[in-house]
């Protein structure tokens, strides 16, 4: 396989896998708090899946970013990963610049949530909870990043799965917000 093609495929696969890991982490984290998925397993099992997938996205996201940095066709610069919306529209177009900026914001917010997850015992509980809740906003940013920049959204299966996960997360989040712990 030609190297640029390999890097492009690797970026897509790693991005989708990272999306799945983050979606699973959010769904299981929400399930632990709502009780809606009690039938799926004990809180211990759901918490284990939540914690595992919360860490799993890190190498997958790093692989996504690294393959984009190495791909000459993508033309993503290190600076684009640090400063959102800095990518030139002359290179990416407005949609690409926005998509890349949303990806950068997503990375930064999820990195903050992950770092504070490791520091949970050293932080005030209320501060940790508010920072941890930023994962919902970060997932929204990730979803927009995928919709605007993902080349796989033209695939019906990918599109249907992604929109379904977003809808399910939205419904469960709204139910949690309005009703607290839900009956099983």
């Amino acid at each position: 396989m030609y190297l640029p093609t390999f890097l492009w495929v690797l970026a897509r696969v790693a991005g989708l896998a990272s999306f799945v890991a983050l979606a699973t982490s959010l769904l299981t984290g929400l399930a632990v708090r709502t009780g809606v998925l009690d039938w799926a397993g004990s809180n211990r099992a759901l918490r284990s899946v939540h914690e595992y997938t919360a860490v799993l996205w890190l190498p997958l996201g790093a692989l996504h970013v690294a393959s984009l940095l190495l791909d000459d066709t993508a033309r993503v610069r290190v600076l684009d990963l640090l400063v959102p919306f800095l990518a030139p529209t002359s290179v990416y177009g407005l949609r690409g610049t926005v998509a890349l900026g949303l990806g950068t914001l997503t990375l930064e917010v999820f990195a903050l949530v992950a770092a504070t997850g490791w520091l949970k015992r050293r932080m005030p509980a209320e501060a940790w909870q508010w920072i941890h809740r930023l994962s919902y906003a970060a997932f929204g940013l990730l979803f927009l990043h995928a919709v605007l920049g993902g080349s796989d959204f033209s695939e019906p299966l990918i599109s249907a799965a992604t929109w379904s996960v977003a809808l399910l997360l939205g419904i469960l989040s709204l139910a949690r917000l309005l009703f607290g712990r839900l009956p099983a």
Side-chain angles (χ1 to χ4, degrees):
M1 180 181 283
Y2 190 55
L3 182 62
T5 305
F6 173 76
L7 291 171
W8 182 69
V9 169
L10 184 61
R12 292 171 58 205
V13 169
L16 287 169
S18 183
F19 181 90
V20 169
L22 286 166
T24 303
S25 181
L26 260 68
L27 284 170
T28 53
L30 194 56
V32 167
R33 290 290 177 207
T34 61
V36 169
L37 299 178
D38 281 349
W39 57 269
S42 68
N43 268 359
R44 179 178 291 169
L46 290 173
R47 186 174 308 278
S48 293
V49 171
H50 172 71
E51 291 171 355
Y52 177 75
T53 54
V55 173
L56 180 61
W57 79 268
L58 289 166
L60 294 170
L63 189 58
H64 175 66
V65 167
S67 58
L68 288 172
L69 284 171
L70 295 172
D71 185 0
D72 292 335
T73 308
R75 296 175 285 180
V76 175
R77 307 168 302 178
V78 173
L79 191 58
D80 297 330
L81 301 174
L82 301 173
V83 183
F85 309 107
L86 186 66
T89 55
S90 61
V91 174
Y92 299 102
L94 180 59
R95 182 178 173 147
T97 298
V98 171
L100 188 55
L102 290 170
T104 300
L105 284 175
T106 300
L107 177 64
E108 292 171 352
V109 175
F110 272 130
L112 173 68
V113 171
T116 57
W118 292 317
L119 299 171
K120 179 180 177 181
R121 288 183 172 78
R122 298 179 184 185
M123 296 177 64
E126 190 171 300
W128 177 81
Q129 283 179 334
W130 280 106
I131 293 171
H132 199 71
R133 288 178 184 144
L134 287 175
S135 59
Y136 296 106
F139 189 82
L141 294 171
L142 174 65
F143 180 76
L144 290 174
H145 166 72
V147 168
L148 292 174
S151 57
D152 292 312
F153 263 81
S154 60
E155 297 292 327
L157 184 61
I158 300 291
S159 186
T162 307
W163 280 98
S164 297
V165 166
L167 181 64
L168 180 59
L169 274 169
I171 290 169
L172 288 177
S173 298
L174 184 61
R176 170 79 170 130
L177 188 65
L178 295 175
F179 306 115
R181 184 169 173 83
L182 302 174

